[in-house]
Amino acid sequence: MKIKWRKINNILHRDVGYFFFGMTIIYALSGIALNHISDWDPNYIIQNKKLQADPSVLSNSMDKVQVQDLIADLDIDKGIKKHYYPSPGVLKVFLQGGSLTMNIGSGHGFLETVDRRPIFYEVNYLHYNHSKFLWTWFSDIYAVGLILLAITGLFVLRGKNGLKRRGVWFVLVGIAIPLVFLMLYL
């Protein structure tokens, strides 16, 4: 009985592709985000806002209840972790997901909030790997799967669109582009 290599190749290519679809989306989204890390923070949305409080409610010896009242008056919906005075006349409040700095004399304040960026935080967490044993193994299996997809993909089509004719040019250009960038950047 003759082994049908092309049929096995196509089945393997199809099934490995289906199996690693989710991982490919995760790594693709995370890769785009990480490529532009100098343009934006892919993990967090950081917002800054100037605030004004009534200076008469501020003092250099506010307790936790007074700070909670201040937070409520300023319509801040974050819980308080801790507060302290880093210098005379300045109140610093650490919030759940941010911080508030207030000038006690003028009532001028600065609120910084930090929230996880939806979807990108999670995919970046997986892409960074953080040395989780099982995830590392699955990621390595995914890398082997990508190699398998690349190799089996070479042999899916036959004829004028296959590897022997049109396909060879795409393969050569696909290899040449990274080599050119290596020569430019190294």
Side-chain angles (χ1 to χ4, degrees), residues 5-18:
W5 290 109
R6 183 167 300 279
K7 185 176 181 178
I8 292 170
N9 180 79
N10 291 355
I11 291 170
L12 190 60
H13 185 78
R14 179 197 64 208
D15 292 347
V16 170
Y18 286 154

Side-chain angles (χ1 to χ4, degrees), residues 25-89:
I25 298 300
I26 287 168
Y27 275 75
L29 285 174
S30 182
I32 291 168
L34 295 175
N35 280 344
H36 299 281
I37 203 162
S38 62
D39 301 322
W40 67 312
D41 185 332
N43 292 323
Y44 297 100
I45 300 168
I46 300 171
Q47 296 177 322
N48 299 304
K49 183 179 178 183
K50 291 181 182 178
L51 300 172
Q52 179 64 48
D54 180 2
S56 66
V57 301
L58 301 171
S59 74
N60 281 313
S61 59
M62 296 173 71
D63 62 20
K64 188 171 186 171
V65 173
Q66 291 170 313
V67 173
Q68 287 173 330
D69 290 342
L70 171 67
I71 297 299
D73 289 344
L74 293 171
D75 291 326
I76 299 171
D77 62 350
K78 307 269 186 194
I80 298 171
K81 289 183 179 179
K82 185 178 178 180
H83 73 281
Y84 80 109
Y85 299 90
S87 61

Side-chain angles (χ1 to χ4, degrees), residues 61-121:
S61 59
M62 296 173 71
D63 62 20
K64 188 171 186 171
V65 173
Q66 291 170 313
V67 173
Q68 287 173 330
D69 290 342
L70 171 67
I71 297 299
D73 289 344
L74 293 171
D75 291 326
I76 299 171
D77 62 350
K78 307 269 186 194
I80 298 171
K81 289 183 179 179
K82 185 178 178 180
H83 73 281
Y84 80 109
Y85 299 90
S87 61
V90 177
L91 169 66
K92 178 81 173 189
V93 182
F94 294 102
L95 305 166
Q96 302 289 336
S99 66
L100 172 68
T101 305
M102 296 295 300
N103 181 302
I104 292 171
S106 68
H108 294 301
F110 183 78
L111 174 67
E112 179 179 78
T113 59
V114 180
D115 294 299
R116 288 181 178 170
R117 191 174 299 279
I119 298 172
F120 284 102
Y121 177 85

Side-chain angles (χ1 to χ4, degrees), residues 160-177:
K160 68 177 184 174
N161 292 323
L163 185 61
K164 291 182 180 176
R165 301 207 29 222
R166 182 173 180 248
V168 72
W169 298 108
F170 281 99
V171 170
L172 291 174
V173 170
I175 292 170
I177 290 173

